Amino acid sequence: MEKMPKILVTGGAGYIGCVTTHHLLQRGFEVVVIDDLSRGHRENVAPERLHVLRLQDTEGVANLLGGVDAVVHFAAHSAVGESMREPELYFSNNVGGTVSLLEAMARANVRRLVFSSTAAVYGDPEKLPIPEDAQIAPVNPYGQSKAIVEKILNELDHYRGLRSVALRYFNACGAEPDAGLGEEHNPETHLIPLLFRAVATGEPIQIFGNDYATPDGTCIRDYIHVSDLAAAHVAALDYLMAGGGSAAYNVGTGTGQTVMEVLRAVEEVTGKSVPYKIAARREGDPTELVADSKKLRKTLGWQPQRSGIQEIVRDAWAYYQLKFK
Ligand code: UDP
């Protein structure tokens, strides 16, 4: 029988990492997970697969890379607001941690990497939907930390023959309730879980601004189901394993929803009204972020399957009830 590739997943106890690990296992890949559990959750990974260590432990990471064909690298901090208050944390963890991982990969001679990047590398885009060749101009340390890593990856393509795919996520959401996997941040800052919390507690959610230049005045985002995101990682791995060269891809649907449209979807799915109040704009929020995802569709043959807003909210709500009831 053909030997299936062995993949090391960093941050596999986190939201997108655990769902991608689940998809990789379903595909029959051998998977090893590293997570320091600073933000991830132990119960998201089978104990025999989980290695609790920090990426800064270069030697420890290198020791786990024996026989590994490719790395999928999620481990990072990802809260924009926190990154503005604690920029050093974002540079030391997201950039420093990645450099240590890359050093370990060089030692172990592992030359394929799928990297979690973000639409935040574009800052306030000039053109919508945003193509991959748009200007890289992040407006917060989180986006900047990811943009810096993308640059380092380009250097290592040249000097080390490292082949990498950077996936620039738009708004990750939804869940895999059947696998018991979903979104659980502490503190929670994301729209859909906060809408559920408002429904569950009766405490109004704050809507950050209704005076944007959009049809209903609230911000527009491109919401992508975590299952479709995971599928993009599997497609990127297949591409790298087949000898594909380094590239960056947007992962989004190409269609945007306003905050109020998402709120209405939550009302429809839960059958309850969402208490809310209009608050001031949140610093650093661009009016609209929508992906041009043609490149990913064309080159990797990827298609979103579960990213209709109703399906996203339905899956996220099923997970929320599982976890928080
Ligand atoms: N948002 C909001 N109230 C909240 C949280 C988010 O109005 O309590 C809005 C936010 O301004 C943005 C959208 O919902 O327009 C998505 O925000 P989220 O933090 O989920 O993701 P981001 O777009 O920041 O990555």
Side-chain angles (χ1 to χ4, degrees):
M1 210 175 80
E2 193 192 344
K3 188 185 170 295
M4 289 302 283
K6 181 174 173 183
I7 310 298
L8 183 122
V9 175
T10 76
Y15 171 41
I16 306 168
C18 72
V19 175
T20 301
T21 297
H22 178 63
H23 281 227
L24 291 170
L25 291 168
Q26 282 186 322
R27 263 287 296 276
F29 289 180
E30 190 183 334
V31 184
V32 177
V33 169
I34 293 180
D35 201 297
D36 69 1
L37 300 181
S38 62
R39 306 272 159 112
H41 307 281
R42 188 182 281 278
E43 65 273 18
N44 286 344
V45 189
E48 68 275 13
R49 214 180 309 289
L50 176 64
H51 299 267
V52 181
L53 75 164
R54 301 189 71 216
L55 289 183
Q56 279 84 350
D57 177 358
T58 311
E59 197 177 329
V61 175
N63 288 338
L64 290 170
L65 281 166
V68 164
D69 297 288
V71 173
V72 186
H73 175 35
F74 295 98
H77 291 339
S78 62
V80 170
E82 181 186 50
S83 82
M84 300 207 269
R85 292 188 302 275
E86 294 188 65
E88 300 82 1
L89 176 69
Y90 276 68
F91 294 120
S92 79
N93 191 65
N94 294 6
V95 181
T98 302
V99 171
S100 173
L101 168 68
L102 292 167
E103 222 178 303
M105 287 174 66
R107 278 192 214 173
N109 205 19
V110 177
R111 291 163 193 267
R112 298 183 194 96
L113 177 76
V114 180
F115 174 59
S116 295
S117 191
T118 170
V121 299
Y122 299 117
D124 287 303
E126 284 173 355
K127 191 178 152 198
L128 288 161
I130 311 169
E132 284 86 356
D133 60 4
Q135 206 192 350
I136 300 299
V139 292
N140 54 60
Y142 166 64
Q144 189 63 264
S145 72
K146 296 288 184 175
I148 292 170
V149 170
E150 285 200 24
K151 277 206 167 135
I152 295 172
L153 295 179
N154 286 337
E155 294 295 311
L156 293 186
D157 179 281
H158 184 70
Y159 291 107
R160 285 264 182 233
L162 175 75
R163 302 294 178 248
S164 66
V165 169
L167 296 177
R168 296 178 182 154
Y169 312 155
F170 282 66
N171 284 60
C173 48
E176 295 267 21
D178 296 345
L181 302 173
E183 183 170 15
E184 206 179 336
H185 299 106
N186 187 18
E188 188 53 76
T189 61
H190 292 107
L191 179 62
I192 293 172
L194 290 177
L195 288 166
F196 293 154
R197 188 184 293 173
V199 167
T201 65
E203 274 292 306
I205 181 173
Q206 302 196 349
I207 303 299
F208 297 138
N210 67 348
D211 56 352
Y212 287 94
T214 62
D216 63 23
T218 61
C219 288
I220 294 177
R221 295 288 179 274
D222 185 335
Y223 293 90
I224 176 88
H225 195 297
V226 66
S227 167
D228 288 333
L229 260 182
H233 291 77
V234 178
L237 274 175
D238 285 340
Y239 162 85
L240 287 174
M241 296 302 292
S246 296
Y249 297 96
N250 288 334
V251 195
T253 64
T255 306
Q257 253 85 38
T258 67
V259 174
M260 289 310 288
E261 284 168 348
V262 179
L263 185 147
R264 299 292 171 227
V266 167
E267 294 189 324
E268 276 165 39
V269 168
T270 62
K272 302 198 170 103
S273 67
V274 177
Y276 71 90
K277 51 182 180 216
I278 303 297
R281 290 182 176 198
R282 185 172 67 176
E283 199 191 344
D285 265 345
T287 304
E288 182 167 354
L289 290 175
V290 174
D292 177 341
S293 54
K294 282 198 288 296
K295 187 175 165 191
L296 182 63
R297 291 169 196 256
K298 266 202 188 133
T299 318
L300 301 191
W302 172 90
Q303 289 265 21
Q305 308 282 342
R306 293 170 59 178
S307 290
I309 195 67
Q310 288 279 340
E311 185 160 7
I312 284 172
V313 171
R314 220 171 25 242
D315 286 346
W317 179 236
Y319 178 77
Y320 187 89
Q321 287 177 301
L322 209 68
K323 275 281 161 176
F324 299 99
K325 268 220 159 151

